Amino acid sequence: MATYGSNQLSALADPSRRAIFEALRDGPRAVGELAATLPISRPAVSQHLKVLKEAGLVVDQAAGTKRLYRLRPEGIAALRAYLDEMWSDALSSFAKQAEATAPDRGSEEP
């Protein structure tokens, strides 16, 4: 899962992809709708959506002549699990380090 989470983080490293990802919070949208709200072209939005799709963060579905993109809950859950695991490991390491460097309070004289 570490590689999967890393791929998702890499996909979200680009500010334009993050903006697209965040815009999809409100629901499914077509490329043209997304491009209308961003300072990038429709082809650029399509390329960014391709990266997000390959990372498992979005899915698309045909709707007439358009393709609607939406967030993929499983991909977001996997990213969250990856971050939760990283955070848990970091907190455990911090606690071990704090315990190892803390003075022994039981041996202090009043």
Side-chain angles (χ1 to χ4, degrees), residues 4 21 24 27-30 34 49-62 67-76:
Y4 191 59
F21 183 78
L24 291 174
R29 298 180 69 184
L34 292 165
L49 284 165
K50 180 181 176 185
V51 173
L52 292 169
K53 186 176 176 181
E54 289 171 354
L57 293 170
V58 301
V59 294
D60 62 328
Q61 178 180 353
R67 295 210 68 77
L68 294 179
Y69 289 83
R70 64 176 174 81
L71 296 179
R72 183 174 173 264
E74 302 87 357
I76 296 168

Side-chain angles (χ1 to χ4, degrees), residues 29-42 45:
R29 298 180 69 184
V31 172
E33 293 175 74
L34 292 165
T37 63
L38 298 167
I40 56 177
S41 67
R42 288 176 117 178
V45 170

